[in-house]
Amino acid sequence: MQHTYIHEVVARDGLQIEPQFVPTEQKIELIDALSDTGLAKIEVTSFVSPKAVPNLRDAETVMANIKRKPSVKYVALIANLKGAERAIAARADEVNLVVSVSETHNRANVRRSTDASFEGFGEIMRELERTGISVAGALSTAFGCPFEGGQSSGRVLQFVGRYVELGVRSVTLADTTGMGHPKQVLDLCSAVRERWPELELALHFHNTRGMGLANVLSGLAAGVQHYEACLGGLGGCPFAPGATGNICTEDLVHMLECMGYTTGVNLDKLLAVSKRLGEIVSHELPGQVAKAGKTTDLHPIPGGLH
Ligand code: COA
Ligand code: ZN
């Protein structure tokens, strides 16, 4: 039996792209309910420009009003120094830096070159050093870019190396628009794990082309223990054309537990929060286990068969 760590991103990746602004109190309600399910990390919000991502313009209020559990790491995504300053003031446990492997997606997302992003991260690391805040680094479009197409594994490894040089100990390879396939995931994760065995490697998949959970299997085969996922299967980057939902947390937890991996997550509690999420966003969620039930939820035997 092997343990896996589940990082929930619905409050950030999920809600950033919803057509309607989710009221602040409902965000807080969702995060508090998620805190009670056994998740390792919850990405609460992002401290980015409210003009770029208006749905998360209430980041400070959300961070200040959630009830924190010591067992959960509360994470905020940031892209620049101003975001770091806001995350420090809001007492985030961890910040998630973000840069894209694709030059074009980085410009679309954060309006600067990848070199400028990494230069800024140096300054952010110096700023964070005096705090107890841990730092993770995300690499968007690591498995392909909707503008440029495939990214070479050499370039991805170079970007992982730039994070490592900055002192980042946890790196997430993100498949922003679901372009990665299982063989690619196995090869890339194996290469990263071989070169940096001490690095905490996490994976962030979108299910845009139906390969999300298959990619998790490849991650597991490469020894990766950390997975980001989104309640209900919501999610997507507003600056990536064709973006659709992340892999669904309850489907991921269900699959991992069926296979004998431990997650620490109480699936029944998670399904209850997913039901509430559906009410909050008022549309159907892509997740499947919430609709079909767990494989252990059996139906009554038809009468005539007795
Ligand atoms: N928080 C709040 N406001 C911010 C900010 C931050 N972290 N960073 C910049 N701003 C504000 C500036 O104060 C300025 O405001 P003003 O127009 O009222 O003067 C405005 O945004 C422009 O600032 P500038 O530094 O020129 O930023 P930019 O226009 O080059 O945009 C980003 C850069 C990174 C701020 C912007 O592209 C962004 O927030 N992107 C979000 C990316 C994202 O979240 N993607 C989804 C997740 S991967
Ligand atoms: Zn994402």
Side-chain angles (χ1 to χ4, degrees), residues 24-104:
T24 310
E25 318 77 71
Q26 293 183 344
K27 289 182 178 131
I28 295 164
E29 178 197 335
L30 270 180
I31 294 160
D32 285 349
L34 286 168
S35 288
D36 206 28
T37 63
L39 291 157
K41 286 188 190 177
I42 297 178
E43 195 159 293
V44 175
T45 190
S46 59
F47 289 108
V48 298
S49 158
K51 280 184 200 143
V53 185
N55 276 1
L56 303 183
R57 60 182 180 266
D58 53 3
E60 270 81 3
T61 316
V62 174
M63 283 293 287
N65 289 286
I66 52 172
K67 288 189 206 71
R68 301 195 196 193
K69 281 208 156 181
S71 55
V72 183
K73 254 193 181 176
Y74 296 92
V75 183
L77 180 133
I78 63 170
N80 62 10
L81 187 60
K82 184 162 182 180
E85 286 160 357
R86 292 174 63 202
I88 293 168
R91 298 186 306 106
D93 295 325
E94 180 166 292
V95 295
N96 198 7
L97 305 174
V98 64
V99 62
S100 308
V101 175
S102 146
E103 202 61 50
T104 311

Side-chain angles (χ1 to χ4, degrees), residues 91-140:
R91 298 186 306 106
D93 295 325
E94 180 166 292
V95 295
N96 198 7
L97 305 174
V98 64
V99 62
S100 308
V101 175
S102 146
E103 202 61 50
T104 311
H105 183 261
N106 204 59
R107 285 186 190 277
N109 195 35
V110 295
R111 302 160 66 88
R112 68 199 60 185
S113 67
T114 56
D115 281 345
S117 281
F118 277 111
E119 260 166 50
F121 294 164
E123 212 177 335
I124 289 173
M125 292 300 284
R126 287 191 287 280
E127 190 73 20
L128 287 170
E129 249 167 35
R130 55 182 182 81
T131 73
I133 299 176
S134 57
V135 185
L139 293 175
S140 294

